Amino acid sequence: MKKHIAPVPLDKASRLLNHGPATLVSARHAGTDNVMAVSWACMLDYAPPKVTVVLGQGAKTRELIEKSGTFVLQIPTAAQLRLTYDVGHISLADDPEKLKKSGVTLFEMDAHDLPFVAGCAAWLACKVIPEAHNQETYDLFMAEVIAAWSDTRAFKDGRWHFEKAGSGWRSLHYVAGGRFYAIGEALDTAEGMPE
Amino acid sequence: MKKHIAPVPLDKASRLLNHGPATLVSARHAGTDNVMAVSWACMLDYAPPKVTVVLGQGAKTRELIEKSGTFVLQIPTAAQLRLTYDVGHISLADDPEKLKKSGVTLFEMDAHDLPFVAGCAAWLACKVIPEAHNQETYDLFMAEVIAAWSDTRAFKDGRWHFEKAGSGWRSLHYVAGGRFYAIGEALDTAEGMPE
């Protein structure tokens, strides 16, 4: 897998999240790694790229983020449907074996002390912009994207290649309960896709 | 079209936006109606339902929202690809004929002094929760959803029916420039879709 991973320039990072995929958020603190599923993740700015994520009060991963000030936001694939559902429905507090039972494999990226979920289509390393009022009143966290990467089989040269990649690479889009949609077909206006 | 429009209970409203579609945001103030395209729209809470939208500084629709405190967030369809692109790329400030040239038809909903874009799959009437710091620093607006409706051909009984509705009803998912994706196929874990 790692031979397929390439950096994504920060000025293209918004393209990883614009289409509204379900995400996995991972974090590390004091020797504990955890992953949660986050549907309510959205871009906040282009340059530098920033994101918002809504992290519920009881989430263990949120605690790690509050302490470390960093997290990885990654884009899971259709092949990771079950993993994404499980990671979203099992709490590390209830089950210390959560990651193993969900089939999560973590890997490292040089120079980033963060856990990355293997098999995803893209990863954004994020640094929290502390905004206590938002965090406490709305569970809304804002962060700057400090680096991004993609698996080039899914996203390369600044664009998604869902049409060419196998169907297992398609992004997931959550509705409720166990229902997700995969992303579908590309639709271009005459202006087409910029470089 | 109106015979196909039915209210969506507020406790199901998040299902309209969870899958991350591109949206159109419309607003009205002092006799002026406008519509803009907003990709960076996301749920913020379930009960009561709340949303966030990122509205750029220069957007005319943003001015209307700042003055009126309300807006409609609607979910355009694949059939409205060109309309969505045009609404996102023409400014009312530059072209007073923006809505006509984009092919936008507006309609009214009883008891709501707001413009609704015809032909969409769903509509959420929103009331801004004033948070000046977010609005001024990040262009981020928070709002409570006070009412919601769907075209029952696309969303009915609390769920999307993309598989049965014609392909023109599929939601749009923005990447960059003229490139969008339509939502694709439903993927269910064993738990399936809740009622």
Side-chain angles (χ1 to χ4, degrees):
Chain A
M1 174 196 71
K2 280 203 102 174
K3 66 175 181 176
H4 292 289
I5 295 180
V8 171
L10 288 178
D11 66 352
K12 301 283 194 285
S14 63
R15 297 176 182 194
L16 298 175
L17 203 56
N18 278 347
H19 61 306
T23 72
L24 300 176
V25 168
S26 57
R28 165 178 292 170
H29 183 70
T32 300
D33 288 345
N34 199 15
V35 186
M36 66 186 289
V38 175
S39 191
W40 298 351
C42 193
M43 290 305 298
L44 177 61
D45 204 352
Y46 286 115
K50 299 189 183 87
V51 298
T52 55
V53 288
V54 180
L55 308 174
Q57 290 278 351
K60 295 296 290 177
T61 308
R62 172 176 168 154
E63 283 184 38
L64 301 175
I65 294 170
E66 284 167 329
K67 291 171 180 168
S68 67
T70 58
F71 60 91
V72 180
L73 190 152
Q74 48 250 302
I75 315 297
T77 69
Q80 295 176 311
L81 173 69
R82 188 71 222 185
L83 179 155
T84 300
Y85 180 83
D86 286 345
V87 154
H89 287 80
I90 300 170
S91 171
L92 191 67
D94 299 331
D95 188 347
E97 297 288 296
K98 166 182 174 166
L99 298 187
K100 186 173 163 189
K101 287 187 180 167
S102 305
V104 169
T105 301
L106 298 174
F107 70 99
E108 305 288 315
M109 207 67 96
D110 287 346
H112 294 273
D113 186 19
L114 281 164
F116 291 74
V117 178
C120 291
W123 301 262
L124 297 88
C126 302
K127 186 172 153 68
V128 174
I129 302 166
E131 289 283 358
H133 173 65
N134 285 335
Q135 293 165 207
E136 288 156 26
T137 308
Y138 301 107
D139 295 338
L140 183 87
F141 286 70
M142 295 174 157
E144 184 173 330
V145 180
I146 54 173
W149 305 259
S150 72
D151 190 304
T152 55
R153 293 170 289 188
F155 182 97
K156 187 179 177 181
D157 300 325
R159 56 174 69 194
W160 289 101
H161 292 282
F162 295 127
E163 316 79 65
K164 299 183 214 171
S167 60
W169 282 106
R170 288 181 182 271
S171 51
L172 294 169
H173 297 256
Y174 187 60
V175 177
R179 162 64 56 97
F180 292 78
Y181 280 93
I183 196 64
E185 301 314 304
L187 299 173
D188 289 316
T189 61
E191 286 72 6
M193 178 84 188
E195 288 315 306
Chain B
M1 172 199 69
K2 281 203 100 174
K3 69 176 181 174
H4 291 290
I5 296 179
V8 172
L10 288 178
D11 67 351
K12 302 283 197 279
S14 63
R15 298 178 180 193
L16 298 175
L17 203 56
N18 278 346
H19 63 306
T23 72
L24 299 176
V25 167
S26 58
R28 165 177 294 168
H29 183 71
T32 299
D33 288 344
N34 199 15
V35 184
M36 66 186 290
V38 175
S39 190
W40 299 351
C42 192
M43 290 303 299
L44 177 61
D45 203 351
Y46 286 114
K50 298 189 181 86
V51 298
T52 55
V53 289
V54 180
L55 308 174
Q57 290 278 351
K60 295 297 287 178
T61 308
R62 172 177 168 154
E63 283 183 39
L64 301 175
I65 294 170
E66 285 167 329
K67 291 170 182 167
S68 66
T70 59
F71 60 91
V72 179
L73 189 152
Q74 48 249 303
I75 314 297
T77 70
Q80 295 176 310
L81 173 70
R82 187 71 222 185
L83 178 154
T84 299
Y85 181 84
D86 285 346
V87 154
H89 286 79
I90 301 170
S91 171
L92 190 67
D94 299 331
D95 188 345
E97 297 287 295
K98 167 182 174 167
L99 298 187
K100 186 173 163 191
K101 286 186 181 170
S102 304
V104 168
T105 301
L106 298 173
F107 69 100
E108 305 289 314
M109 208 66 96
D110 287 347
H112 294 273
D113 186 19
L114 281 162
F116 291 74
V117 178
C120 291
W123 301 262
L124 298 88
C126 303
K127 187 172 151 67
V128 174
I129 301 165
E131 290 283 358
H133 173 65
N134 285 336
Q135 292 165 209
E136 286 155 27
T137 309
Y138 301 106
D139 297 338
L140 183 88
F141 287 70
M142 296 175 157
E144 184 173 331
V145 180
I146 55 173
W149 305 258
S150 72
D151 189 306
T152 55
R153 292 169 289 188
F155 182 97
K156 187 179 178 183
D157 300 326
R159 58 173 69 196
W160 289 101
H161 292 282
F162 295 127
E163 317 81 63
K164 299 183 213 171
S167 60
W169 283 105
R170 290 182 182 267
S171 50
L172 293 169
H173 297 257
Y174 187 60
V175 178
R179 161 65 55 97
F180 291 79
Y181 281 93
I183 197 64
E185 300 316 303
L187 299 174
D188 289 316
T189 61
E191 287 72 7
M193 179 82 189
E195 285 315 310

